[in-house]
Amino acid sequence: MGKVDQNKQQKQSTLLQTAFELFTTKGVVKTSISDIVSNAGVAKGTFYLYFKDKIDIKNKLIIHKSNKLFEHALDALDSSPQPTFSQTVIFVVDNIINQLSENPMLMQFISKNLSWGVFKTAISCNIESDIQNNMYSIYNRIISMNGHHLKDPDIMMYMILELVSSVSYSSILYDEPVPIERLKPYLYESIRVIIKQFEI
C-alpha cells in the first residue's frame, strides 16, 4: 500500500473513531458533521470524500465495529477450534457477547443494529479494505471450517443474528429479565434448535 493510500485510510479511521467517541458521549442526534471534522482535525471536504452524511458514517461505523467483533471472535476460534458446527457458532456468539458485556458503550451504540441488515450491507458497502474484512466472509469461513452442509445458510444466520442481538441487549445493559450469564444457556439451546432445522 502506497503512502497516499495509507494517508487516506488514516483519515477515514480518524473520522470513524472521532464519530464513535462523539456518538457515544453526545449522542448521534446532538453530534454534527462540524463536530466530527473539528474533533478529527480535518477539513469538512475531507469528510465528504468518505461519507455522504452523518447517517452514512453512523452506518459504516456500526459495520466497522461489528466486523471487529467478528474478527476478534474468529481469532479466538483459531486458537480454540470446536468439534462441531453448532459448537463453533455458539463459541463465536459467546465471544461476541462477552466482548459486548465488557464494553457497554459499544453495546449501546450497536444496540439492536447487529443484525442481518448490517451483516449483508458489509458485503457491498464501499469502505476501505482495512475496514471491510467483512462479517459475511468470516461467516462463510466458519461454515467451511467444519465442512458443514446447510440449506439456506443465509436464512439461518439471519435468525441467529436477530435472536442474539434482540435477546442480549437488555440482559447485558440492564440485567433484564436476568443477567446475561443466566440467559446464555437458554439462548444457546435456542441456537442449537435453529441450526438443527437447517442441517442437511
Side-chain angles (χ1 to χ4, degrees):
M1 183 186 295
K3 192 169 173 78
V4 172
D5 289 333
Q6 282 181 337
N7 286 340
K8 283 183 180 176
Q9 241 177 26
Q10 181 58 47
K11 283 180 183 172
Q12 188 182 38
S13 294
T14 301
L15 284 164
L16 284 164
Q17 187 54 38
T18 303
F20 178 70
E21 289 163 8
L22 289 168
F23 289 162
T24 52
T25 53
K26 288 178 67 172
V28 175
V29 173
K30 292 182 180 173
T31 298
S32 67
I33 291 172
S34 295
D35 293 332
I36 295 169
V37 297
S38 172
N39 281 271
V42 300
K44 205 168 201 176
T46 304
F47 177 93
Y48 291 106
L49 290 174
Y50 305 103
F51 311 104
K52 292 179 206 161
D53 51 32
K54 186 169 70 170
I55 299 305
D56 187 40
I57 194 171
K58 183 195 90 163
N59 290 340
K60 287 178 178 170
L61 191 50
I62 290 166
I63 291 166
H64 174 62
K65 293 292 185 182
S66 300
N67 279 341
K68 293 298 178 193
L69 291 171
F70 275 81
E71 286 171 21
H72 187 279
L74 192 60
D75 287 345
L77 183 63
D78 285 341
S79 304
S80 182
Q82 301 297 301
T84 69
F85 180 71
S86 289
Q87 287 170 292
T88 299
V89 171
I90 289 167
F91 180 92
V92 169
V93 168
D94 188 67
N95 184 283
I96 290 169
I97 286 174
N98 290 341
Q99 289 180 69
L100 291 171
S101 295
E102 290 167 13
N103 191 345
M105 195 175 281
L106 179 59
M107 178 74 210
Q108 218 157 14
F109 176 69
I110 291 179
S111 65
K112 295 177 182 175
N113 293 303
L114 186 57
S115 67
W116 185 247
V118 169
F119 194 73
K120 287 295 276 187
T121 303
I123 305 164
S124 57
C125 193
N126 184 23
I127 311 177
E128 293 295 329
S129 58
D130 73 319
I131 295 170
Q132 192 179 3
N133 296 317
N134 72 55
M135 293 177 282
Y136 196 68
S137 62
I138 292 169
Y139 171 54
N140 284 327
R141 184 175 163 195
I142 290 168
I143 291 175
S144 65
M145 282 168 90
N146 294 83
H148 214 68
H149 299 289
L150 302 163
K151 60 183 177 186
D152 296 318
D154 285 3
I155 295 173
M156 184 195 77
M157 198 59 194
Y158 164 78
M159 292 177 69
I160 292 171
L161 272 174
E162 294 295 332
L163 172 68
V164 171
S165 61
S166 60
V167 165
S168 60
Y169 180 77
S170 293
S171 188
I172 288 173
L173 290 177
Y174 310 113
D175 289 337
E176 293 291 339
V178 293
I180 191 65
E181 290 304 320
R182 189 169 161 207
L183 186 67
K184 279 180 178 182
Y186 299 102
L187 176 60
Y188 298 163
E189 186 54 37
S190 297
I191 290 172
R192 287 185 195 95
V193 170
I194 290 170
I195 291 171
K196 197 170 174 70
Q197 294 177 69
F198 290 88
E199 290 177 329
I200 295 175

